Amino acid sequence: GDKIDHRDYKGRWCKASITQKQFMFIKLHYVGWNSQYDCWIHISEDYEKLAKYGRITRRQVQRKKLQNLNINDRVLIRLPSCHRFHYMQWITAKVSYIEEDTGQIKFSYGITNSNDNKYSWWTHPDNLDECKPYIIHQQQPSQQIPSANLNPPQS
């Protein structure tokens, strides 16, 4: 069948073949994976998880500031609308795995006020809506802000 890139439930873009079509649904088989991972998706509801074959799964990282990421490096991430924590703004995450052939990264992050400590998600570093470099802003000595005096006044 036709081939496409599909974003799975963990955010990872995978090569997939369309094996069946029924009305607004298509059945996908992930290339190189066991058929137990085949899934049905709704074309109009899951359109954000579909891309032209190879557009993401064959793309090498183009953004210079993210080309040389290593395990445990920090990045800023914003989770997509399909994610349960999508309402959050940019959060800090650590790179936990780098897929060499696609450039995709798996990162881990924590959520305050959550029963679980750590979560993970995949993205491609070229995705401007979901990933950007983690930059520590250092002030020049002439721009330093004086520290506030936190001691109570002496009487």
Side-chain angles (χ1 to χ4, degrees), residues 63-67 69 73-77 90-93 95 105 125-128 130-137:
R63 292 170 71 190
K64 292 192 186 304
K65 290 184 179 180
L66 296 172
Q67 281 180 336
L69 286 173
D73 282 353
R74 292 182 185 194
V75 292
L76 291 174
I77 54 125
W90 292 97
I91 58 176
T92 304
V95 174
I105 57 171
D126 288 343
N127 186 333
L128 300 174
E130 294 181 17
C131 187
K132 63 183 180 181
Y134 179 82
I135 301 171
I136 299 173
H137 296 284

Short mmCIF file of all heavy atoms in Angstrom, two decimals, residues 63-67 69 73-77 90-93 95 105 125-128 130-137:
data_model
loop_
_atom_site.label_atom_id
_atom_site.label_comp_id
_atom_site.label_asym_id
_atom_site.label_seq_id
_atom_site.Cartn_x
_atom_site.Cartn_y
_atom_site.Cartn_z
N ARG A 63 18.79 22.54 11.99
CA ARG A 63 19.01 23.68 12.88
C ARG A 63 20.38 23.56 13.55
O ARG A 63 20.63 22.64 14.32
CB ARG A 63 17.91 23.74 13.93
CG ARG A 63 16.57 24.10 13.34
CD ARG A 63 15.45 23.94 14.30
NE ARG A 63 15.46 24.96 15.33
CZ ARG A 63 14.68 24.92 16.41
NH1 ARG A 63 13.85 23.92 16.58
NH2 ARG A 63 14.73 25.87 17.30
N LYS A 64 21.25 24.49 13.26
CA LYS A 64 22.64 24.42 13.73
C LYS A 64 22.76 24.32 15.25
O LYS A 64 23.59 23.58 15.75
CB LYS A 64 23.43 25.62 13.21
CG LYS A 64 23.64 25.58 11.71
CD LYS A 64 24.67 26.60 11.28
CE LYS A 64 24.79 26.68 9.79
NZ LYS A 64 25.09 25.51 9.08
N LYS A 65 21.92 25.05 15.97
CA LYS A 65 22.02 25.04 17.43
C LYS A 65 21.59 23.71 18.04
O LYS A 65 21.82 23.47 19.21
CB LYS A 65 21.19 26.17 18.04
CG LYS A 65 21.77 27.54 17.75
CD LYS A 65 20.98 28.62 18.44
CE LYS A 65 21.62 29.97 18.16
NZ LYS A 65 20.88 31.06 18.80
N LEU A 66 20.96 22.84 17.25
CA LEU A 66 20.51 21.55 17.76
C LEU A 66 21.15 20.36 17.05
O LEU A 66 20.79 19.23 17.29
CB LEU A 66 18.98 21.46 17.67
CG LEU A 66 18.23 22.48 18.54
CD1 LEU A 66 16.75 22.44 18.23
CD2 LEU A 66 18.47 22.22 20.01
N GLN A 67 22.11 20.60 16.18
CA GLN A 67 22.73 19.52 15.42
C GLN A 67 23.61 18.62 16.27
O GLN A 67 23.77 17.45 15.95
CB GLN A 67 23.55 20.07 14.26
CG GLN A 67 22.71 20.48 13.08
CD GLN A 67 23.55 21.02 11.95
OE1 GLN A 67 24.67 21.49 12.14
NE2 GLN A 67 23.01 20.96 10.74
N LEU A 69 23.42 17.70 19.58
CA LEU A 69 22.88 17.33 20.89
C LEU A 69 23.49 16.01 21.36
O LEU A 69 23.81 15.14 20.56
CB LEU A 69 21.36 17.17 20.82
CG LEU A 69 20.55 18.46 20.71
CD1 LEU A 69 19.08 18.12 20.48
CD2 LEU A 69 20.71 19.32 21.95
N ASP A 73 21.76 16.40 27.45
CA ASP A 73 21.67 17.82 27.13
C ASP A 73 20.25 18.29 27.41
O ASP A 73 19.29 17.51 27.32
CB ASP A 73 22.00 18.09 25.66
CG ASP A 73 23.48 18.07 25.38
OD1 ASP A 73 24.28 17.98 26.33
OD2 ASP A 73 23.85 18.13 24.19
N ARG A 74 20.11 19.56 27.69
CA ARG A 74 18.79 20.13 27.92
C ARG A 74 18.28 20.82 26.66
O ARG A 74 19.05 21.40 25.91
CB ARG A 74 18.84 21.14 29.06
CG ARG A 74 19.10 20.49 30.39
CD ARG A 74 19.09 21.52 31.47
NE ARG A 74 19.45 20.87 32.73
CZ ARG A 74 19.29 21.42 33.89
NH1 ARG A 74 18.79 22.64 33.99
NH2 ARG A 74 19.63 20.79 34.98
N VAL A 75 16.98 20.73 26.48
CA VAL A 75 16.28 21.45 25.42
C VAL A 75 15.00 22.01 26.02
O VAL A 75 14.56 21.57 27.08
CB VAL A 75 15.93 20.55 24.20
CG1 VAL A 75 17.17 20.12 23.46
CG2 VAL A 75 15.11 19.34 24.63
N LEU A 76 14.42 22.97 25.35
CA LEU A 76 13.10 23.46 25.73
C LEU A 76 12.10 22.79 24.81
O LEU A 76 12.31 22.72 23.59
CB LEU A 76 13.02 24.97 25.59
CG LEU A 76 13.86 25.75 26.59
CD1 LEU A 76 13.82 27.24 26.27
CD2 LEU A 76 13.40 25.51 28.02
N ILE A 77 11.02 22.29 25.39
CA ILE A 77 10.02 21.60 24.59
C ILE A 77 8.63 22.16 24.90
O ILE A 77 8.38 22.66 25.99
CB ILE A 77 10.04 20.07 24.83
CG1 ILE A 77 9.91 19.73 26.31
CG2 ILE A 77 11.30 19.46 24.28
CD1 ILE A 77 8.78 18.81 26.60
N TRP A 90 6.51 26.36 27.24
CA TRP A 90 7.83 25.74 27.07
C TRP A 90 8.35 25.24 28.41
O TRP A 90 8.29 25.95 29.42
CB TRP A 90 8.81 26.77 26.50
CG TRP A 90 8.48 27.13 25.09
CD1 TRP A 90 7.78 28.22 24.68
CD2 TRP A 90 8.82 26.40 23.92
NE1 TRP A 90 7.66 28.21 23.30
CE2 TRP A 90 8.29 27.12 22.82
CE3 TRP A 90 9.52 25.22 23.68
CZ2 TRP A 90 8.44 26.68 21.50
CZ3 TRP A 90 9.67 24.79 22.37
CH2 TRP A 90 9.14 25.52 21.30
N ILE A 91 8.82 23.99 28.43
CA ILE A 91 9.39 23.40 29.64
C ILE A 91 10.77 22.82 29.33
O ILE A 91 11.07 22.50 28.18
CB ILE A 91 8.47 22.31 30.25
CG1 ILE A 91 8.19 21.19 29.24
CG2 ILE A 91 7.17 22.91 30.76
CD1 ILE A 91 7.39 20.03 29.79
N THR A 92 11.58 22.68 30.35
CA THR A 92 12.92 22.13 30.20
C THR A 92 12.85 20.61 30.21
O THR A 92 12.15 20.02 31.02
CB THR A 92 13.83 22.61 31.34
OG1 THR A 92 13.82 24.03 31.37
CG2 THR A 92 15.25 22.12 31.15
N ALA A 93 13.58 19.99 29.31
CA ALA A 93 13.63 18.52 29.23
C ALA A 93 15.06 18.09 28.95
O ALA A 93 15.87 18.87 28.46
CB ALA A 93 12.71 18.03 28.12
N VAL A 95 17.58 15.31 26.99
CA VAL A 95 17.66 14.35 25.89
C VAL A 95 18.01 12.98 26.48
O VAL A 95 18.99 12.84 27.21
CB VAL A 95 18.73 14.78 24.86
CG1 VAL A 95 18.90 13.72 23.79
CG2 VAL A 95 18.38 16.13 24.26
N ILE A 105 14.67 13.02 18.57
CA ILE A 105 15.15 12.87 19.94
C ILE A 105 14.01 12.45 20.86
O ILE A 105 12.86 12.87 20.69
CB ILE A 105 15.81 14.16 20.48
CG1 ILE A 105 14.84 15.34 20.42
CG2 ILE A 105 17.09 14.47 19.75
CD1 ILE A 105 15.35 16.59 21.13
N PRO A 125 14.24 17.77 16.23
CA PRO A 125 14.80 19.08 16.59
C PRO A 125 14.45 20.21 15.62
O PRO A 125 14.51 21.38 15.99
CB PRO A 125 16.31 18.84 16.60
CG PRO A 125 16.45 17.38 16.87
CD PRO A 125 15.28 16.74 16.18
N ASP A 126 14.07 19.90 14.39
CA ASP A 126 13.68 20.94 13.44
C ASP A 126 12.23 21.39 13.62
O ASP A 126 11.79 22.31 12.94
CB ASP A 126 13.90 20.46 12.00
CG ASP A 126 15.36 20.38 11.64
OD1 ASP A 126 16.20 20.98 12.34
OD2 ASP A 126 15.68 19.71 10.65
N ASN A 127 11.50 20.78 14.51
CA ASN A 127 10.11 21.16 14.75
C ASN A 127 10.10 22.43 15.61
O ASN A 127 10.25 22.38 16.82
CB ASN A 127 9.37 20.02 15.45
CG ASN A 127 7.89 20.31 15.60
OD1 ASN A 127 7.46 21.45 15.66
ND2 ASN A 127 7.11 19.25 15.67
N LEU A 128 9.91 23.57 14.97
CA LEU A 128 9.97 24.87 15.64
C LEU A 128 8.86 25.05 16.68
O LEU A 128 9.02 25.83 17.62
CB LEU A 128 9.87 26.00 14.62
CG LEU A 128 10.98 26.04 13.56
CD1 LEU A 128 10.68 27.13 12.54
CD2 LEU A 128 12.33 26.25 14.20
N GLU A 130 7.81 22.69 18.71
CA GLU A 130 7.98 21.79 19.85
C GLU A 130 9.36 21.76 20.46
O GLU A 130 9.53 21.22 21.55
CB GLU A 130 7.63 20.35 19.42
CG GLU A 130 6.19 20.16 19.07
CD GLU A 130 5.89 18.72 18.69
OE1 GLU A 130 6.69 17.82 18.99
OE2 GLU A 130 4.83 18.50 18.08
N CYS A 131 10.36 22.29 19.81
CA CYS A 131 11.72 22.14 20.32
C CYS A 131 12.55 23.39 20.04
O CYS A 131 12.50 23.93 18.93
CB CYS A 131 12.37 20.92 19.66
SG CYS A 131 13.98 20.48 20.32
N LYS A 132 13.29 23.83 21.05
CA LYS A 132 14.24 24.91 20.84
C LYS A 132 15.40 24.75 21.81
O LYS A 132 15.28 24.06 22.82
CB LYS A 132 13.57 26.28 20.92
CG LYS A 132 12.96 26.66 22.23
CD LYS A 132 12.27 28.03 22.06
CE LYS A 132 11.62 28.49 23.34
NZ LYS A 132 10.95 29.80 23.18
N PRO A 133 16.51 25.39 21.49
CA PRO A 133 17.69 25.24 22.36
C PRO A 133 17.44 25.78 23.76
O PRO A 133 16.68 26.73 23.95
CB PRO A 133 18.76 26.07 21.66
CG PRO A 133 18.27 26.32 20.29
CD PRO A 133 16.78 26.24 20.34
N TYR A 134 18.08 25.15 24.72
CA TYR A 134 18.05 25.62 26.10
C TYR A 134 19.25 26.54 26.26
O TYR A 134 20.39 26.11 26.11
CB TYR A 134 18.15 24.43 27.06
CG TYR A 134 18.16 24.80 28.52
CD1 TYR A 134 16.98 25.05 29.19
CD2 TYR A 134 19.37 24.88 29.22
CE1 TYR A 134 16.98 25.38 30.53
CE2 TYR A 134 19.37 25.21 30.57
CZ TYR A 134 18.18 25.46 31.22
OH TYR A 134 18.18 25.78 32.54
N ILE A 135 19.00 27.80 26.49
CA ILE A 135 20.07 28.78 26.58
C ILE A 135 20.08 29.38 27.97
O ILE A 135 19.04 29.85 28.46
CB ILE A 135 19.89 29.88 25.52
CG1 ILE A 135 19.89 29.27 24.12
CG2 ILE A 135 20.97 30.94 25.67
CD1 ILE A 135 19.52 30.22 23.02
N ILE A 136 21.23 29.37 28.59
CA ILE A 136 21.39 30.00 29.89
C ILE A 136 21.84 31.43 29.63
O ILE A 136 22.88 31.66 29.02
CB ILE A 136 22.42 29.26 30.76
CG1 ILE A 136 21.95 27.83 31.00
CG2 ILE A 136 22.64 30.00 32.07
CD1 ILE A 136 22.97 26.97 31.70
N HIS A 137 21.04 32.37 30.06
CA HIS A 137 21.38 33.78 29.86
C HIS A 137 22.32 34.23 30.98
O HIS A 137 21.96 34.16 32.15
CB HIS A 137 20.13 34.65 29.85
CG HIS A 137 19.24 34.34 28.70
ND1 HIS A 137 19.50 34.76 27.42
CD2 HIS A 137 18.10 33.61 28.63
CE1 HIS A 137 18.56 34.33 26.61
NE2 HIS A 137 17.70 33.63 27.32
#
